[in-house]
Amino acid sequence: MTAREWTAEESLECTAPPHVLYQAVSDLRRMKEWSPEVIGVWRRGDRFVGFNRRAFWVWFTHCRIVVDEPGREFAFDVATFGLPVARWGYRFAPAADGSGTRVTEYWIDHRRGGWRSRIAETLGLLFTGTPAGRRAARNRAGMRSTLRRLCAACQLP
C-alpha cells in the first residue's frame, strides 16, 4: 500500500493570458463549466457554498476565499459542517516559451489528526465515496479535466 498523499497539483499551458484565466476561475458561478464535480455555487462576498456531484454521491461544502491576487493566484478553503477539509487553488505564471500561461490547480488536504479530522474523513467518504488513500489520485484526474476545459473555454482565437 502506498503512503497517503496530502497534496496534489496539475498544470497545463494555455494560450490565454493570466488575467483571463484568473477572471474565469474567480467567477465561481462558472466553476461548473470546468469542474467534473461542481454542479453549482452560491456566493456571498468572500464565502460561498459549493454543490458537488460524482456518480450518485451529492454533497455541499462551505468555502472561504483566502487568496485573491488577480492574474497570479486564487484559492479557497473548504469546510463541511464547520470541519476543515482542504484548500483548493489556482496559480498563473507565464508559459516557459512566453506564448501564454501556465495554470496550476492545487489541493492541500487539511484533515490531519485529531477527532475533528476523523469526523471530516468519515464525512468525506460518505459524501464522495472516495477513501482517503485514493483522494489525491481522484483529485488529480479531476484537475486534469478541469484545466483542459478551462483552457479550451479561455483560449484566444
Side-chain angles (χ1 to χ4, degrees):
M1 185 171 159
T2 60
R4 177 165 174 189
E5 296 178 78
W6 297 93
T7 63
E9 72 176 44
E10 290 288 328
S11 297
L12 189 63
E13 293 195 1
C14 303
T15 59
H19 72 277
V20 170
L21 292 160
Y22 167 85
Q23 280 182 324
V25 298
S26 65
D27 182 356
L28 293 162
R29 294 167 300 169
R30 294 188 66 196
M31 192 61 71
K32 65 185 177 189
E33 294 177 38
W34 2 100
S35 171
E37 290 184 346
V38 175
I39 58 174
V41 172
W42 181 62
R43 183 171 179 178
R44 290 279 196 190
D46 69 344
R47 297 182 187 271
F48 63 97
V49 177
F51 299 92
N52 307 285
R53 179 173 182 233
R54 188 178 63 78
F56 59 87
W57 286 279
V58 178
W59 68 98
F60 66 93
T61 55
H62 292 95
C63 306
R64 183 174 56 88
I65 298 167
V66 294
V67 180
D68 191 4
E69 299 174 12
R72 286 202 41 215
E73 186 173 2
F74 183 79
F76 50 90
D77 283 346
V78 177
T80 188
F81 297 106
L83 302 168
V85 173
R87 174 167 294 179
W88 283 88
Y90 299 84
R91 290 187 298 264
F92 311 96
D97 65 1
S99 66
T101 303
R102 181 172 183 81
V103 58
T104 300
E105 182 175 9
Y106 64 91
W107 164 82
I108 304 166
D109 197 333
H110 287 174
R111 293 166 281 208
R112 298 182 187 223
W115 66 271
R116 291 170 54 88
S117 291
R118 287 191 297 277
I119 292 171
E121 284 290 353
T122 301
L123 291 173
L125 178 59
L126 291 172
F127 293 160
T128 70
T130 304
R134 294 191 203 144
R135 194 169 288 126
R138 181 168 306 280
N139 287 347
R140 274 192 199 89
M143 290 173 186
R144 288 189 294 272
S145 178
T146 297
L147 293 174
R148 282 192 302 269
R149 292 173 182 175
L150 174 66
C151 288
C154 295
Q155 82 180 7
L156 298 175

